[in-house]
Amino acid sequence: MSDNLATLNDGTKAITMGVKSGTIGPDVIDIRKLYAETGKFTYDPGFTSTASCDSALTYIDGDEGVLLHRGYPIGQLAEQSSFMEVCYLMLNGELPSADELSQFSRTITRHTMVHEQLSVFYRGFRRDAHPMAIMCGVVGALSAFYHDSTDISDPEQRKISAHRLIAKMPTIAAMAFKYSVGQPFVYPRNDLSYTGNFLRMTFAVPAEEYEVNPVVERALDRIFILHADHEQNASTSTVRLAGSSGANPFACIAAGIACLWGPAHGGANEAALNMLKEIGTPDRIPHYIARAKDKNDPFRLMGFGHRVYKNYDPRATVMQKTVREVFESLKVTDPLFETALRLEELALSDPYFIDKKLFPNVDFYSGIILSAIGFPTTMFTALFALARTVGWVAQWNEMISDPGQKIGRPRQLYTGPVQRDYVPVSER
Ligand code: SDX
């Protein structure tokens, strides 16, 4: 990285700080010595202007609507790659050869079963427990089963736990769905693809054979690719912060799942479809757009807007195209898709959304296609977590492998009372 300098005058003295450049994207001002030299912190709630780490995994240009994974554009990966290949790319940095890919797929496939005791956990939940509540609990519990891959100082154990997490998330998610509908768990099969296995574990019943629909398999695999990783988003930052204390990878991923659940983040796909269901028909869209613009109304267009994208989210483009392809192929329609298209059209012609650069994001269309495949809305964020696990473990591993890595410990601007003496209750 090339270095040049930035000077800051804090009113008492000028200090010089290094400016670092990455391969592409904004330079960063290295403020690590700021407090030692000025006694002042920077102030950046929500980290809108803060780079928390170096990373070579994913690059986003929010103004241009660019998303690269290890340099490859998301549109090319979604069209030409597979989720397994993208997992290999995120973990290893390069696209695999045919042999490398088949070996990697075989390794992942042979980790898809979960310890039989783990299935007992599910029985502790109410049948109507949200799948994300189950995912938080069960993934965190994996640390109790896989002690042989929790030594984070051992690269080999880090690799095994990464493979285990990628491999077992579909099984855990499918079991959460089966539990919620009162159907028996379906074991994984080694003769199916990663995504085909997940579809079968989710939708097969013992009473009949289950055939994986190749159109659905391809569409869902592409949806997993679109959700694989996304720079330092809230849940990835949560995983990194949890990992910076030395917590084991299963606990870190459970923390990421908890953060992803929020409706401002991964929970938006469930919220977006529920919003479209509430809107119902296109004639009701103006009322909801008015509500979204009303400062006194907490309602927001779910699936719209993004902290980084101030242009179209490239994932939403692929997602919309995939909806059309799947609907054509399966000869299905969904009036909510028409409502979503009309909502996008009206919002993107409204000065409020244009001025605030609010575009559809990855969550706006995903629910429509997941619903068409047969998933209930409560499973949407669990699918997001399933796909994002490779990003989380890749980011976690990148951090742990960094020799300069420290425990994350932000400071604050204190606004509470100055020091005062305790007053016994008899004198209050
Ligand atoms: C994901 O970070 C990632 O990369 C996340 C993600 C990933 O792959 O990990 O991309 C996945 O989380 C996508 C985002 C899913 N969330 C939603 O769709 C929920 C609806 N969107 C908003 O809550 C919001 O847009 C956020 C949370 C996504 C982004 O919020 P910001 O960047 O903090 O923006 P903001 O809240 O400061 O809003 C800026 C302005 C505000 O108006 P003003 O106060 O300036 O007048 O835009 C308005 C907001 O009120 N606004 C919206 C809006 N989103 C922002 N108004 C109406 N509808 C919306 N959806």
Side-chain angles (χ1 to χ4, degrees):
M1 295 193 189
S2 63
D3 282 359
N4 45 52
L5 299 174
T7 302
L8 173 81
N9 191 319
D10 74 339
T12 53
K13 70 175 187 176
I15 69 162
T16 303
M17 293 167 286
V19 174
K20 300 166 78 72
S21 302
T23 40
I24 43 178
D27 288 349
V28 297
I29 299 173
D30 186 344
I31 60 165
R32 282 176 288 184
K33 64 181 183 181
L34 183 76
Y35 179 58
E37 297 208 4
T38 68
K40 292 187 175 67
F41 299 136
T42 58
Y43 185 67
D44 188 16
F47 312 118
T48 49
S49 299
T50 294
S52 62
C53 61
D54 298 29
S55 180
L57 288 163
T58 291
Y59 174 71
I60 299 172
D61 182 329
D63 294 326
E64 299 301 318
V66 170
L67 168 56
L68 308 176
H69 288 318
R70 300 285 195 176
Y72 296 99
I74 189 65
Q76 293 181 24
L77 292 173
E79 287 300 322
Q80 304 175 54
S81 186
S82 68
F83 183 65
M84 271 297 98
E85 187 174 72
V86 169
C87 287
Y88 182 98
L89 173 66
M90 296 307 284
L91 294 175
N92 298 289
E94 298 297 335
L95 289 170
S97 67
D99 287 348
E100 287 166 334
L101 180 58
S102 62
Q103 173 54 43
F104 178 75
S105 299
R106 214 169 16 256
T107 301
I108 297 297
T109 297
R110 307 194 79 78
H111 278 295
T112 48
M113 279 179 70
V114 294
H115 191 294
E116 194 63 12
Q117 284 291 107
L118 211 64
S119 59
V120 174
F121 272 80
Y122 288 76
R123 280 198 281 281
F125 292 100
R126 285 173 34 158
R127 287 280 178 177
D128 62 353
H130 194 289
M132 285 298 278
I134 296 178
M135 298 283 284
C136 286
V138 172
V139 172
L142 289 176
S143 342
F145 289 84
Y146 298 110
H147 302 112
D148 63 339
S149 65
T150 52
D151 175 359
I152 61 170
S153 63
D154 177 353
E156 190 55 26
Q157 290 197 30
R158 293 206 301 268
K159 187 166 77 172
I160 293 170
S161 54
H163 290 168
R164 276 176 164 154
L165 279 158
I166 293 166
K168 297 182 193 306
M169 285 297 272
T171 311
I172 291 167
M175 289 169 74
F177 171 70
K178 283 304 196 190
Y179 186 73
S180 73
V181 294
Q183 291 180 358
F185 298 141
V186 176
Y187 287 102
R189 276 200 0 209
N190 293 348
D191 61 333
L192 295 175
S193 74
Y194 181 87
T195 302
N197 218 351
F198 172 65
L199 284 167
R200 183 177 170 279
M201 289 189 284
T202 304
F203 295 118
V205 289
E208 59 188 25
E209 283 310 306
Y210 176 84
E211 279 297 309
V212 176
N213 179 315
V215 172
V216 171
E217 182 181 21
R218 177 68 195 122
L220 190 55
D221 196 74
R222 184 185 291 172
I223 289 170
F224 287 165
I225 292 172
L226 296 177
H227 288 83
D229 189 46
H230 212 238
E231 202 210 64
Q232 303 312 316
N233 59 84
S235 53
T236 298
S237 299
T238 300
V239 170
R240 278 180 171 261
L241 200 53
S244 73
S245 74
N248 74 71
F250 305 104
C252 296
I253 299 308
I257 292 170
C259 177
L260 185 75
W261 195 1
H265 189 13
N269 52 15
E270 176 178 356
L273 195 75
N274 289 337
M275 173 191 74
L276 290 170
K277 286 177 181 172
E278 184 185 334
I279 294 173
T281 50
D283 60 300
R284 287 161 50 87
I285 290 173
H287 168 69
Y288 283 88
I289 284 187
R291 284 190 58 193
K293 293 159 62 177
D294 179 356
K295 280 284 148 249
N296 301 314
D297 188 330
F299 174 80
R300 287 193 164 182
L301 287 188
M302 301 315 281
F304 253 77
H306 198 275
R307 170 58 59 78
V308 176
Y309 289 123
K310 301 307 171 189
N311 197 323
Y312 215 93
D313 181 338
R315 302 168 298 177
T317 307
V318 179
M319 196 70 78
Q320 189 196 104
K321 181 170 175 283
T322 305
V323 173
R324 292 185 193 283
E325 287 170 4
V326 169
F327 279 14
E328 263 164 45
S329 169
L330 300 184
K331 309 257 183 296
V332 298
T333 59
D334 179 348
L336 292 182
F337 184 41
E338 300 314 315
T339 301
L341 291 170
R342 184 71 179 134
L343 173 55
E344 175 187 339
E345 183 188 344
L346 289 176
L348 296 190
S349 62
D350 185 302
Y352 174 91
F353 294 90
I354 295 168
D355 296 346
K356 295 180 188 298
K357 298 183 177 179
L358 303 175
F359 292 86
N361 58 49
V362 67
D363 295 309
F364 188 62
Y365 289 106
S366 57
I368 290 168
I369 193 168
L370 295 176
S371 184
I373 293 173
F375 294 104
T377 51
T378 51
M379 278 294 289
F380 291 0
T381 310
L383 298 181
F384 194 149
L386 184 168
R388 184 52 58 88
T389 294
V390 62
W392 287 333
V393 293
Q395 297 269 355
W396 167 78
N397 191 54
E398 183 178 62
M399 176 194 67
I400 298 290
S401 315
D402 176 357
Q405 178 265 314
K406 291 175 180 292
I407 187 169
R409 189 9 179 128
R411 301 302 303 273
Q412 64 179 12
L413 177 67
Y414 177 69
T415 58
V418 296
Q419 184 169 325
R420 51 185 171 168
D421 294 330
Y422 181 79
V423 177
V425 68
S426 59
E427 298 171 23
R428 285 179 221 154

